[in-house]
Amino acid sequence: MIARLSPKAKTASLASALALAMVGLGFAAVPLYDLFCRVTGFGGTTQRYDPVAAAADPVVLSRTVSVRFDANVSPGLPWKFYPEHPTDTVSIGARDMAIFIAENNSSKPVVGTAGFNVTPTQAGKYFTKIQCFCFTEQRLEPGQQMRMPVLFFVDPKIMDDPDARDIQEITLSYTFHPVDEGKKAS
């Protein structure tokens, strides 16, 4: 025989199931949002070059685009951080390299990590980074200065996108944040 639940018990069971589902979605939200941004370029999220997935190197076009480099440091990070050259003109599809310079102005070692984005946001899915200091934490000793390269290209598929093909300037922006080494996951 199947026991029937009272209306209060049904409501409580439904509320409990809904609460568990909300907790599950809360834990899944960050990785799902990250995946969404990487696939679509949403919010200026750049693509990361995968040589295994790439059928061939991109075709280099005669069309060029200006790339502006922006460097920022969050409060609490005693670093000076700037691009070696603030702008560069690159051929669409051609690999290029930009150098950023970071200097620790404190009297102790400091670890930082860089967040990044690309504007205009519709260019994000076509701006592909081959190698970037933003993929790893950076440790600078007191007074140490480090040159950090970024290898990138603008995917020729940008020319097929009516919302992006007329873009004349792309800005690659980085912000370094301090990493609390005592709170890092092991």
Side-chain angles (χ1 to χ4, degrees):
M1 232 180 177
I2 299 175
R4 293 196 174 237
L5 296 175
S6 70
K8 287 182 181 179
K10 285 182 183 178
T11 302
S13 295
L14 183 60
S16 295
L18 186 60
L20 284 173
M22 296 295 282
V23 168
L25 284 174
F27 280 107
V30 171
L32 288 174
Y33 181 74
D34 183 56
L35 177 63
F36 172 77
C37 290
R38 289 188 189 284
V39 169
T40 64
F42 182 75
T45 302
T46 65
Q47 302 301 306
R48 188 166 180 186
Y49 183 69
D50 181 1
V52 175
D57 285 337
V59 174
V60 177
L61 304 178
S62 60
R63 165 115 190 275
T64 62
V65 65
S66 176
V67 179
R68 188 174 77 80
F69 304 105
D70 179 49
N72 304 283
V73 178
S74 69
L77 185 67
W79 286 9
K80 183 177 178 184
F81 177 55
Y82 56 95
E84 188 172 64
H85 301 285
T87 60
D88 194 5
T89 300
V90 300
S91 294
I92 293 176
R95 293 179 184 202
D96 201 29
M97 180 171 63
I99 302 290
F100 285 80
I101 299 167
E103 182 176 351
N104 180 357
N105 293 325
S106 77
S107 60
K108 62 181 182 173
V110 179
V111 178
T113 186
F116 59 88
N117 73 338
V118 168
T119 55
T121 56
Q122 62 268 38
K125 64 182 172 180
Y126 303 108
F127 194 94
T128 304
K129 291 191 286 183
I130 301 166
Q131 179 183 344
C132 179
F133 56 85
C134 60
F135 299 141
T136 59
E137 292 178 353
Q138 304 297 324
R139 178 185 173 94
L140 295 179
E141 297 299 323
Q144 180 183 6
Q145 186 180 79
M146 181 184 296
R147 293 170 46 92
M148 298 178 290
V150 177
L151 299 173
F152 66 93
F153 67 92
V154 177
D155 194 318
K157 292 177 187 171
I158 195 170
M159 299 307 297
D160 299 330
D161 185 339
D163 294 328
R165 67 175 160 227
D166 294 327
I167 292 172
Q168 299 294 313
E169 181 179 78
I170 297 173
T171 300
L172 174 61
S173 181
Y174 288 99
T175 301
F176 256 104
H177 303 276
V179 173
D180 185 351
E181 292 189 276
K183 293 183 181 178
K184 285 183 0 186
S186 301

